Amino acid sequence: MAVLQRKDESQRVTAAPPENPAPLQQAGSTFTYNFDGDGVGLLPKKFHSARTGQGPSSQWVVLADSTAPSKPNVVAQTSVDTTDYRFPLLIADEGSFRDLEVTVRFKAVSGDMDQAGGLAFRLKDANNYYIARANAREGNYRFFKVVAGRRRPLGGANLEVTSQEWHELRSSASEIESSATTMASRK
């Protein structure tokens, strides 16, 4: 692991290991994940974890949740580390897409630093990707581009993201347009 220190910033950036590229999928391919076939207490199949920033690795496990939109299981980030610049990622291994529409349903449950859910896409590694995320602690939605481990805001809005309630976050990206749009809604 290499650690880089920027002279103009106090945050250290840890070099992320390169990702093994997921196979490029043909237009029209669809993947749906509900985690119901995964073992409770385990990392879900077809996924791996990573982290942007500092602190220990993220911990993702399948849990039973009677309130889940697709019962009975959900996947949860269960780490309780309070490192300030730390962003846990759960990365799907099955496919990459040139153009995509992606949706996630999430519930912000707890957290001292953040209570958030989001979508990372155009991921090259844990330090280079786009992310749309909604945060209940901050009451906002933000869209970032992460380059060399540093988040750069591209847009967002202040909106109610309630804790203990399911929300839906959708993003789309088109290689032709070289842009991405995102919207969030309460479900």
Side-chain angles (χ1 to χ4, degrees):
M1 175 187 331
V3 177
L4 309 173
Q5 179 74 42
R6 295 179 179 223
K7 290 182 180 179
D8 58 341
E9 298 174 4
S10 62
Q11 294 291 338
R12 295 183 326 166
V13 177
T14 304
E19 284 289 319
N20 290 327
L24 182 62
Q25 300 300 312
Q26 298 210 3
S29 296
T30 301
F31 292 90
T32 302
Y33 300 102
N34 63 19
F35 310 107
D36 295 339
D38 292 296
V40 172
L42 303 174
L43 181 72
K45 297 173 197 156
K46 303 178 185 176
F47 286 83
H48 68 279
S49 65
R51 172 198 32 81
T52 303
Q54 302 302 305
S57 298
S58 58
Q59 297 172 337
W60 295 87
V61 296
V62 174
L63 299 174
D65 184 336
S66 62
T67 70
S70 169
K71 292 175 183 63
N73 291 346
V74 299
V75 66
Q77 198 285 128
T78 59
S79 307
V80 293
D81 185 82
T82 58
T83 301
D84 185 36
Y85 198 82
R86 180 177 179 273
F87 308 103
L89 298 168
L90 183 65
I91 301 170
D93 297 328
E94 282 190 295
S96 62
F97 298 84
R98 292 191 194 284
D99 300 328
L100 61 91
E101 291 182 16
V102 61
T103 302
V104 66
R105 292 185 185 115
F106 74 95
K107 178 170 64 170
V109 176
S110 64
D112 292 331
M113 300 304 290
D114 281 324
Q115 292 181 17
L119 294 164
F121 50 95
R122 298 279 193 256
L123 184 125
K124 293 179 183 175
D125 58 40
N127 284 331
N128 296 283
Y129 55 91
Y130 290 89
I131 186 163
R133 71 108 177 101
N135 190 327
R137 286 190 63 82
E138 296 174 1
N140 64 28
Y141 146 81
R142 295 290 183 259
F143 184 58
F144 298 99
K145 182 175 185 179
V146 179
V147 177
R150 306 298 306 160
R151 291 191 321 175
R152 298 178 182 161
L154 298 178
N158 294 330
L159 57 92
E160 184 179 8
V161 181
T162 51
S163 187
Q164 303 298 324
E165 216 174 291
W166 287 97
H167 298 271
E168 183 174 279
L169 187 62
R170 293 180 295 205
S171 291
S172 65
S174 171
E175 192 172 63
I176 293 170
E177 295 174 5
S178 297
S179 65
T181 60
T182 305
M183 65 191 246
S185 65
R186 189 178 337 179
K187 286 290 175 187

